[in-house]
Amino acid sequence: LNQQLSLFSASVDNFLRPGGNTLASSLLIYFHGGGFIAQSSASHSTYLREWAAQLEDAVVLAVDYALAPEHPYPVALREGVYACEWASKHAARLGTRADRIVLGGDSAGGNIALAVTLKLMQQKQQQQQQPRAVPPPRIPDGILLA
């Protein structure tokens, strides 16, 4: 997974739900806070692991995006869009059917989650106006911002 995402320099920390061989129905894609310049999924792992254990029918996928100032805007946004598109297309590899996808984040990560949602909505609208062979992007079913 990280090898595929490394093409875009994003990486992920997959907090799989404990036990069970069936696919979870939901996917939470989480972007960490840190002012766009610090932190990682590891620095937020305490509560992300707790969420993964409590959300019995969901997989938590934490995205580590490239940090500023070495990677200025819009790098984190592009990585977020790519990570969401990849996760929705390869949900089974993550242990989920992704019937519901929620984007979440705290602080800067909340900004990224919202910006990614808006970007996906924009792409879908553009594609509906000018149909192409590529299916439109999946719009998240919800947003969790802190």
Side-chain angles (χ1 to χ4, degrees):
L1 175 61
N2 274 324
Q3 185 178 12
Q4 290 183 8
L5 290 174
S6 69
L7 297 173
F8 226 75
S9 80
S11 65
V12 298
D13 202 346
N14 195 6
F15 299 101
L16 294 173
R17 61 197 172 94
N21 291 326
T22 61
L23 295 177
S25 67
S26 302
L27 174 62
L28 169 60
I29 302 172
Y30 194 83
F31 299 92
H32 64 82
F36 301 103
I37 61 167
Q39 306 296 329
S40 67
S41 61
S43 60
H44 292 65
S45 67
T46 301
Y47 66 86
L48 292 175
R49 289 184 194 288
E50 193 173 305
W51 289 359
Q54 292 175 359
L55 299 171
E56 294 178 5
D57 197 26
V59 168
V60 177
L61 180 71
V63 178
D64 284 328
Y65 51 89
L67 302 174
E70 293 84 1
H71 304 279
Y73 176 85
V75 173
L77 173 60
R78 289 183 186 150
E79 290 179 348
V81 169
Y82 179 80
C84 289
E85 289 176 337
W86 188 94
S88 68
K89 290 177 187 168
H90 299 91
R93 292 181 67 184
L94 300 171
T96 179
R97 294 188 314 273
D99 298 335
R100 289 177 305 277
I101 296 177
V102 174
L103 299 189
D106 65 287
S107 190
N111 185 302
I112 293 172
L114 182 58
V116 166
T117 300
L118 293 172
K119 187 68 171 172
L120 292 171
M121 292 171 69
Q122 180 185 46
Q123 288 176 351
K124 184 172 184 172
Q125 183 180 33
Q126 289 171 345
Q127 219 165 335
Q128 288 172 336
Q129 292 171 351
Q130 300 173 357
R132 292 181 259 162
V134 178
R138 168 87 184 266
I139 305 302
D141 300 292
I143 305 173
L144 168 67
L145 306 176

